[in-house]
Amino acid sequence: WVDPKNLADCGDASQIQGNVSPYVKQLILNTFIAYGAGDEHCFGHSVSKAVKFIDISAHESHEKQGRMEATTIAEVIVSKSMLNGAGMLHGGCLAFLIDNTPLVALGLLQNMTGVGVTQSMNIIFHSPVSVGSCLRIISTSIAMGGRIMSARCEVCFLGQLIDD
């Protein structure tokens, strides 16, 4: 893995809200683009480029006996390239989106990369989403150790911004 501190700057993190430093926000954005988007020939490139980070924050969690917890909030408008054959957001696309957002923030704050290989995902789908829908992806770290990292993620429908 490439250390996030060694990645080139990708995008402008100055508009991202939250209480982590601008430096950490930029590192998170760089990591998301490098690992999530890759170059234009990589799987998911156009999907990743459509994601906009809104907030990146960290705080001590009272429920976790003072351990750090990081939350990232991102938004994306569903495009045709994200759809399945039935014209709805593909479940694999949703898995791709939630897999690439949550743990880098906590890792960077704990002098770890937060980058790794996904071993398991459990996704519960509630309803279909069509093209033009705006989704908010809220990802929160649960735990991070030397080899195991876990997070939870909720995807909320914000509304239909663009008609089919």
Side-chain angles (χ1 to χ4, degrees), residues 3-164:
D3 187 326
K5 296 171 188 161
N6 295 329
L7 295 170
D9 282 355
C10 299
D12 178 15
S14 67
Q15 301 302 310
I16 301 172
Q17 298 177 16
N19 65 0
V20 300
S21 71
Y23 175 70
V24 169
K25 290 175 188 174
Q26 188 65 56
L27 288 179
I28 292 165
L29 186 58
N30 297 347
T31 304
F32 177 76
I33 295 299
Y35 285 105
D39 67 31
E40 68 255 12
H41 302 292
C42 291
F43 170 81
H45 176 79
S46 65
V47 173
S48 296
K49 295 297 258 182
V51 173
K52 304 293 180 219
F53 282 91
I54 305 301
D55 188 278
I56 302 172
S57 296
H59 65 276
E60 289 184 6
S61 171
H62 298 294
E63 294 84 22
K64 296 178 184 176
Q65 292 78 39
R67 288 183 303 197
M68 291 298 291
E69 179 177 271
T71 301
T72 60
I73 300 173
E75 293 180 356
V76 65
I77 296 174
V78 177
S79 67
K80 288 185 180 186
S81 67
M82 300 176 189
L83 304 180
N84 61 22
M88 297 295 152
L89 177 64
H90 192 289
C93 183
L94 184 63
F96 173 76
L97 287 167
I98 64 176
D99 187 35
N100 283 296
T101 52
L103 289 166
V104 175
L106 184 60
L108 290 170
L109 294 170
Q110 294 182 343
N111 292 319
M112 300 169 69
T113 66
V115 176
V117 176
T118 301
Q119 295 178 343
S120 175
M121 292 180 87
N122 182 16
I123 303 172
I124 300 171
F125 298 96
H126 294 279
S127 62
V129 178
S130 61
V131 70
S133 299
C134 184
L135 302 177
R136 176 168 284 170
I137 306 163
I138 305 166
S139 303
T140 305
S141 61
I142 295 173
M144 177 170 279
R147 293 178 50 109
I148 302 293
M149 301 174 273
S150 61
R152 68 179 177 272
C153 184
E154 184 173 4
V155 180
C156 304
F157 175 72
L158 294 182
Q160 191 73 22
L161 299 182
I162 302 169
D163 291 328
D164 294 350

